[in-house]
Amino acid sequence: QISEAEVALFSVSSYACQRRTTLDNHNSNLTDALSLLAENAELNNEDGRGVAFRRAAALMKALPTQVISMSQLRGLPCLGEHSLRVIKDVLENGVSSEVESTKQSKRYKALKILTGIFGVGAKTADRWIREGIYNLEQLRHSGQTLNRAQKSGLEHYDDLNEPVTKAEADAIGEIVQKAVDSVLTGSQVALTGGFRRGKLTGHDVDFLITHPEEGKEVGLMPKVVAWLESQGFLLYQKTTRNSYLESKDGPARPASNMDRFERCFSIFKLTKGKEQETASHKIWRAVRVDLVVSPISQFAFAVLGWTGSKLFERELRRWAGHEKNMSLSSHALFDNTQNKYLRATSEEEIFAYLGLEYIPPSERNA
Ligand code: DCP
Ligand code: MG
């Protein structure tokens, strides 16, 4: 037993964007449990519940030491009744009964398998489950019509569910840089997403492309894609146009948190190094790659918005709105009080406008 006096209390800010969250997590037993429940909620389109579990998990990730007793959690923000119950269960029994029963449930297993197909979201998976489809075998024999993305996703299922390594991300980065150099000299490529935060693996590779001269980036994406296609690097690609228009009256409220950059969702065909060749003798693997083109004037916002983590981004936007009366997106920062856009050429400047201490990418792993 630990006495009251021995209990180490933590003091933690309530917004994830005020905290430094590195990859070294002292409470993975707790964060794994909470993250699984968050994922399950998201797969069931229960967004509020999902965010609550994500916030609780993120808070536990930010603690400097391992939690061993419930009393240490007194006064901490972000921990609702449900999350506390899960934490208590794990601390007392080693596992959470709710997590265990979720993992075993037929519905959760099916949602995981089906949404593991690129191009399949929670809604589609739910519809299929209601039609009795629980796995890939049943899907293949169901006669369901799949769109182009889903067909590709199913075809490359195993590869796309295999984590991408940093070495693979770097190899793809070199190819993208070569593509960009071949179509417009002076263009810049930045690795964003989890790899920029220092993660060693990811589910995809995210790149942001720009050119130091404003306007030169227009029309870049189709050329880059055409070059990659001509060299045989693409197994699948779908490009969406830029639909962002800055208005004088401030940012129109976007329909979702999705930004409106010109974006290419792709599946790369990456030739493996000798060491990675497997028993199947397949000499290449499929990798999900996202390419985004940004004008230089929005680049700092785009880098910040695409570095993540998803929760860190959500919390930055919540902080901006609730605490600063500003609207932050991956395109711009609008001050609703002064009724004007705030320009920035670096992430540091954006944090400063928001009145936040600068948090480097490696500490945004909330
Ligand atoms: N992002 C976002 N909203 C979107 C799409 C992306 O906020 N609609 C941001 C946050 C993510 C980053 O872009 O961190 C990249 O998206 P990913 O889904 O690739 O997330 P990660 O790169 O962080 O994770 P992983 O390592 O699994 O790829
Ligand atoms: Mg990513």
Side-chain angles (χ1 to χ4, degrees):
Q1 272 300 4
I2 312 147
S3 76
E4 283 289 298
E6 285 173 290
V7 165
L9 287 179
F10 304 111
S11 164
V12 183
S13 304
S14 66
Y15 285 86
C17 55
Q18 296 173 291
R19 308 192 292 249
R20 297 179 180 274
T21 315
T22 63
L23 287 169
D24 106 74
N25 176 356
H26 305 282
N27 289 285
S28 49
N29 56 336
L30 301 173
T31 59
D32 286 353
L34 294 164
S35 301
L36 185 132
L37 296 178
E39 179 194 35
N40 185 242
E42 288 158 3
L43 288 172
N44 283 292
N45 278 306
E46 299 172 325
D47 291 346
R49 226 160 142 61
V51 174
F53 283 129
R54 292 274 174 219
R55 283 212 189 107
L59 186 109
M60 303 308 291
K61 279 182 205 167
L63 298 182
T65 58
Q66 192 189 348
V67 172
I68 47 170
S69 133
M70 286 303 282
S71 57
Q72 288 173 279
L73 303 180
R74 222 181 302 133
L76 286 182
C78 310
L79 301 176
E81 197 190 315
H82 197 158
S83 294
L84 284 170
R85 200 160 67 229
V86 174
I87 293 168
K88 185 161 185 274
D89 212 4
V90 175
L91 290 181
E92 288 175 0
N93 308 312
V95 289
S96 144
S97 53
E98 186 178 358
V99 168
E100 294 311 298
S101 65
T102 302
K103 274 195 210 163
Q104 298 306 318
S105 82
K106 199 175 168 192
R107 179 174 168 82
Y108 172 78
K109 286 186 196 164
L111 284 168
K112 279 286 279 184
I113 291 169
L114 298 175
T115 59
I117 305 169
F118 169 63
V120 178
K123 294 214 173 80
T124 302
D126 176 64
R127 178 161 50 79
W128 287 345
I129 290 170
R130 282 189 278 111
E131 292 177 35
I133 300 165
Y134 288 83
N135 57 42
L136 303 186
E137 195 60 18
Q138 290 170 336
L139 176 64
R140 287 198 177 98
H141 293 103
S142 67
Q144 288 283 340
T145 330
L146 304 183
N147 64 29
R148 208 165 56 85
Q150 294 163 344
K151 277 182 196 148
S152 243
L154 195 53
E155 184 179 351
H156 303 294
Y157 189 86
D158 290 340
D159 273 359
L160 298 185
N161 282 285
E162 180 77 23
V164 184
T165 65
K166 179 64 165 58
E168 289 169 333
D170 289 338
I172 292 169
E174 282 177 31
I175 296 168
V176 173
Q177 185 68 58
K178 203 168 162 199
V180 157
D181 288 343
S182 320
V183 301
L184 180 63
T185 48
S187 304
Q188 295 165 4
V189 178
L191 180 65
T192 60
F195 288 113
R196 182 158 184 260
R197 302 196 307 275
K199 281 180 61 184
L200 297 176
T201 60
H203 93 285
D204 69 357
V205 195
D206 308 287
F207 293 102
L208 191 56
I209 301 167
T210 191
H211 191 281
E213 209 177 308
E214 184 84 2
K216 284 268 185 161
E217 81 291 347
V218 174
L220 189 53
M221 187 74 92
K223 291 180 193 151
V224 170
V225 171
W227 188 92
L228 290 168
E229 216 139 42
S230 73
Q231 304 287 312
F233 285 121
L234 296 183
L235 295 162
Y236 167 90
Q237 69 84 14
K238 183 183 166 70
T239 307
T240 58
R241 293 188 312 122
N242 178 345
S243 61
Y244 180 76
L245 271 179
E246 199 174 274
S247 91
K248 272 217 195 62
D249 317 318
R253 201 159 173 72
S256 73
N257 285 329
M258 284 296 280
D259 57 57
R260 296 114 173 266
F261 287 118
E262 191 172 25
R263 178 171 177 182
C264 175
F265 301 88
S266 77
I267 300 177
F268 259 61
K269 180 175 182 174
L270 180 66
T271 304
K272 291 184 188 179
K274 280 260 183 306
E275 318 77 56
Q276 286 90 35
E277 283 181 31
T278 51
S280 66
H281 299 296
K282 214 176 100 196
I283 58 151
W284 57 269
R285 69 161 291 187
V287 179
R288 273 276 299 115
V289 176
D290 274 357
L291 304 176
V292 176
V293 169
S294 156
I296 191 76
S297 61
Q298 298 171 20
F299 189 67
F301 296 97
V303 169
L304 179 59
W306 274 88
T307 297
S309 69
K310 285 207 182 72
L311 187 80
F312 192 91
E313 300 296 337
R314 176 184 266 278
E315 293 278 279
L316 270 178
R317 293 190 296 261
R318 188 166 71 96
W319 169 271
H322 290 195
E323 307 295 332
K324 297 286 155 182
N325 195 26
M326 294 179 184
S327 311
L328 175 68
S329 73
S330 299
H331 300 275
L333 179 62
F334 188 79
D335 185 329
N336 297 299
T337 309
Q338 298 183 65
N339 208 33
K340 67 171 194 189
Y341 284 99
L342 304 173
R343 307 288 161 187
T345 55
S346 69
E347 290 182 305
E348 284 86 345
E349 280 175 82
I350 304 170
F351 279 86
Y353 280 136
L354 292 169
L356 290 167
E357 204 177 307
Y358 177 69
I359 311 281
S362 61
E363 295 176 331
R364 296 181 203 160
N365 286 291

